[in-house]
Amino acid sequence: MARMVAPLTELKIKRAKPKEKLYKLFDGNGLYLEIKPNGKKTWRVKYRFNNKEKTYTIGEYPIIPLTQARGITQEVKNKVLQGIDPVQDRKEKQIKQELLNKKLFKNIVDEFLELKKSEWSEKYYQKQLRRLEIYILPFLKDRPIDLIKKGEIVNVIKNVRNIVTPTTKKSNKAEVTKRIYIILKQIYQFALHNDYVDIDIVAKIDINNLMPKQEEVKHFDAIMNLEELRKLYKDILNYPSISK
């Protein structure tokens, strides 16, 4: 028969002082508070999975109070009942989150720039960084690069003509649009070759269909016929002068 344990209270926990050796205060249901000689107090849960005793670390007290520790303990027990190992489940989630963070567009850009820093001049590097900060990163930085849709990239490219800052208001928007497209293409090629994406979606975009039209320069029609040119010259010579 399992030994009955008196539940912990906040007062008892606060009064618990460190000793020469590590010791534990048990709350029941596998939950206990581990107190180290340096005074650090850590919540842990004992559970059995596949006939093996395991320990799940919840976190430190008082960051995690008693009531919250009990709630997390119940979540751990529920996972065990579902056939899920809580420790292994947390490890897998951490790995997925780390991979997700690594695939954030802003982190891919950081890696890309770190590579290019040794290839580009400082002046060109700063120019490209500025373009990224103005035209691209505000719209894509927190998106996982492998989840970004082609339409999002198209919108970023189209939006170049609408962005006006003291340093961009006199820019040739057609030229800037083309350069932003090139930067995006370079970033996606980098991501593709480093297995961050499976498809280069920028390569599927026809920049010519997104470039702002430049104002047409009108020219006078040229006189192509030599006879017409001779006639015009003759008419000028024969034009009556105005005499006083």
Side-chain angles (χ1 to χ4, degrees):
M1 183 176 178
R3 184 181 58 164
M4 295 296 292
V5 177
L8 292 173
T9 63
E10 285 288 345
L11 182 60
K12 186 175 181 180
I13 294 169
K14 287 177 181 177
R15 286 180 174 176
K17 304 297 182 184
K19 298 179 181 179
E20 289 185 8
K21 294 184 179 181
L22 179 150
Y23 71 101
K24 302 171 184 177
L25 295 177
F26 293 89
D27 184 64
N29 199 27
L31 175 64
Y32 65 90
L33 186 68
E34 179 183 273
I35 304 173
K36 293 183 177 181
N38 63 4
K40 185 177 179 180
K41 299 175 180 179
T42 305
W43 291 111
R44 303 189 194 279
V45 184
K46 283 185 179 180
Y47 67 95
R48 294 191 70 82
F49 191 83
N50 289 339
N51 295 320
K52 292 180 180 180
E53 186 175 280
K54 294 192 171 187
T55 303
Y56 182 94
T57 301
I58 294 176
E60 294 182 26
Y61 177 90
I63 297 173
I64 298 177
L66 176 59
T67 52
Q68 187 179 352
R70 286 173 176 164
I72 295 172
T73 296
Q74 192 56 54
E75 291 174 6
V76 168
K77 299 292 181 174
N78 289 341
K79 284 185 178 180
V80 173
L81 291 174
Q82 295 167 20
I84 300 170
D85 182 350
V87 170
Q88 186 62 31
D89 182 59
R90 179 160 65 182
K91 285 180 181 178
E92 290 174 0
K93 286 180 178 177
Q94 287 174 341
I95 291 170
K96 287 180 181 178
Q97 188 60 48
E98 287 171 4
L99 183 59
L100 184 64
N101 290 338
K102 197 171 184 181
K103 283 190 173 186
L104 289 180
F105 188 85
K106 60 184 177 184
N107 293 334
I108 303 296
V109 168
D110 286 343
E111 281 191 48
F112 169 75
L113 289 175
E114 187 63 31
L115 177 68
K116 293 297 180 181
K117 200 167 189 177
S118 60
E119 299 178 16
W120 295 342
S121 68
E122 181 61 23
K123 184 178 179 180
Y124 186 71
Y125 176 88
Q126 291 300 329
K127 188 177 287 186
Q128 294 293 71
L129 179 61
R130 182 68 176 150
R131 285 172 180 149
L132 282 161
E133 290 172 343
I134 294 174
Y135 298 106
I136 300 174
L137 288 174
F139 312 101
L140 300 175
K141 63 180 180 181
D142 294 321
R143 298 275 287 123
I145 194 168
D146 56 336
L147 297 182
I148 295 173
K149 305 297 183 184
K150 187 178 80 170
E152 294 177 75
I153 300 295
V154 168
N155 289 336
V156 166
I157 296 171
K158 283 183 175 180
N159 195 45
V160 168
R161 72 192 74 174
N162 301 321
I163 296 175
V164 178
T165 71
T167 57
T168 65
K169 61 184 178 181
K170 294 182 180 179
S171 301
N172 181 329
K173 290 300 183 181
E175 180 63 25
V176 175
T177 299
K178 185 177 179 181
R179 292 186 181 278
I180 294 306
Y181 169 77
I182 291 171
I183 296 173
L184 285 166
K185 199 169 184 179
Q186 289 175 333
I187 291 169
Y188 267 83
Q189 277 294 302
F190 171 82
L192 181 66
H193 291 298
N194 285 278
D195 292 328
Y196 292 129
V197 295
D198 295 323
I199 301 171
D200 177 3
I201 58 175
V202 181
K204 297 184 176 183
I205 298 172
D206 184 355
I207 185 62
N208 294 318
N209 290 324
L210 303 178
M211 294 272 284
K213 292 182 179 179
Q214 300 187 59
E215 187 177 343
E216 292 184 7
V217 178
K218 294 183 178 180
H219 300 277
F220 291 106
D221 292 337
I223 299 174
M224 303 299 293
N225 190 294
L226 183 58
E227 290 300 321
E228 289 180 0
L229 182 58
R230 286 173 177 167
K231 185 178 183 301
L232 176 61
Y233 180 68
K234 185 177 181 181
D235 288 342
I236 293 172
L237 292 177
N238 294 331
Y239 192 82
S241 61
I242 301 174
S243 58
K244 291 183 180 179

